[in-house]
Amino acid sequence: MKSLYSLKRASILILAVILSISLTACSDSGTKGQAGSGDDAANEPEKLTHLSYWVQMVSQVSATLKSYNEIEAYKELEQVTGVKVDFQHPPEGQQAKEQFNLMLTSDKLPDVIEYSWIGYPGGPEKAIKDGKIIRLNELIDEHAPNLKKVLEEHPEWKKEIMTDEGSIYAFPFIRSHDRLKVFLGPTIRQDWLDKLNLEMPTTIEEWYTVLKAFKANDMNGNGEADEIPLYLTKGDVDTSTAFLGAFGINAGFYQDGGVVKYGPTDPTFKEFLALMNKWYQAGLLDRDFATTDAKLLEAKITGGQIGSAVLYTGSGIGKYNTLMKEKDPNFHLVAAPYPVMNKGDKQIWGYKDFAYTGIGAAITTSNKNPIETVKWLDYAYSEAGTLLFNFGKEGASYTMEDGKPVFKPEVLNNPSGLPVIQSMSQHNRATFSGPFMLDIRFDEQYTTSEDQLASKEIWAEPTLDLKLPRTTPNSQESSRYASIMNDINTFKDEMYLKFIMGQEPLDNFDKYVKTMESMGLQEAIEIQQHALERYNKR
């Protein structure tokens, strides 16, 4: 009896152990790798030590460094977090977009892709549904306390960074102050105006008079008729609506009383094209505006050829006034007002960015450590992370004075003579977009010259009442919208150049409009109308 009792007791113990193991296994399989799975170390994701990160390198960094790994902020971030980043930089310009599209055809993506996701075919929600990037809402809520706090304090920013379906798809670049949203517009050589005793132009007709004077006189004094009165690319027209804004429209979709319209098919767009064709034929525009890249533009500006152009506050006014200080002490590039049609007209169109630019760092579906990656990206939105991304490493590029970060003299006045934008870019990311918040304290030290400060005042004049918010098509509309607009934009861009250069007579403008209508323009307008109405309800 005793031996039988012992056998039964042993059997019960064995069954209890088996049951315990089975329950533990079930629990692990249901919670491992999930957010909020408890404190059990077995349920924690593998420690993140390495990240692959795809991002296009900007020119102010590539001028002196080979990779973002060499930026002081990322060196310090590695020390703080223990995470080493393998930055993958595509070629600049159009090749980057081509490489991005090619990359997305692969089953193996980098862990993080920093990109303007609103430009993804079909929109960012489509990128999620295509299985390329992951939805971040729950991960941010549970593992990104810094960004979560920022969005709770600024619901208007949260409205901008999500899709109509409510998805947050990337860690965003946010301009945290209204002043940071204005930094691009028309510029002009004030020294050329002074030389000719001309006033700053404010109307289209005044600009025509000034540009003709720049063309007729040997402004750079080299005895050659090589002056380019105005450098204005199609991209400048698309982005800043420079000169086109005087006609009351923009180069894309806009709203008028809550009704979505499309500028490039408006009858006044034909008037704008006629003006640009007239200026092109008169030699007032750069003959090579369709093919000139950033390096050629710089060569033309520093070579004393360009009288006016659409440029940035820092990499335009600040950069060129610094570069030309010794070469040409008279060189003086300043901001010009966005032109209007008639004296006294209100400036409607100009350039003012959204708080969220559309650029952000998305976590791909190939990432094996999404939780730890979220934690790593969230650091940038902390107080320490904001200082790091805006100012670099304390002691190396800035010091704290009276509780405020102050750039060191050698950063603001580089011993090697680098423009401040290149000098700063060796230490931080605040001279260009990225997954962090731009700090007004950075801008207060970056745009310090009178000309730069004045540019922000001058370019902030337009009302922008007709500008659309950052709307996005939903998943049902996205593919169709992308298909329509890809065809329309390709055709529009081609015809724009032909109209300006005189390769296509403007008598064919109505035919051009009908062609775009046949491509589905009205459907695209309706999609944007629905998107605007949904955005207003977010």
Side-chain angles (χ1 to χ4, degrees), residues 96 149 316 345 435 448:
K149 181 182 178 184
D345 284 354
T448 56

Side-chain angles (χ1 to χ4, degrees), residues 252-254 261-266 485 488-489 492 516 521 525:
F253 294 100
Y254 64 97
K261 298 182 178 181
Y262 187 64
T265 55
D266 191 283
M485 292 313 299
I488 285 177
N489 286 331
K492 179 194 70 174
M516 282 201 278
L521 176 61
I525 291 174

Side-chain angles (χ1 to χ4, degrees), residues 189 295-306 319-321 323-324 327-328 331:
R189 289 283 298 272
K295 290 183 178 179
L296 279 173
L297 172 60
E298 180 171 324
K300 290 177 180 181
I301 292 176
T302 57
Q305 289 181 270
I306 292 181
K319 174 183 176 180
Y320 292 117
N321 281 338
L323 283 176
M324 297 298 289
K327 184 177 180 180
D328 181 3
F331 184 97

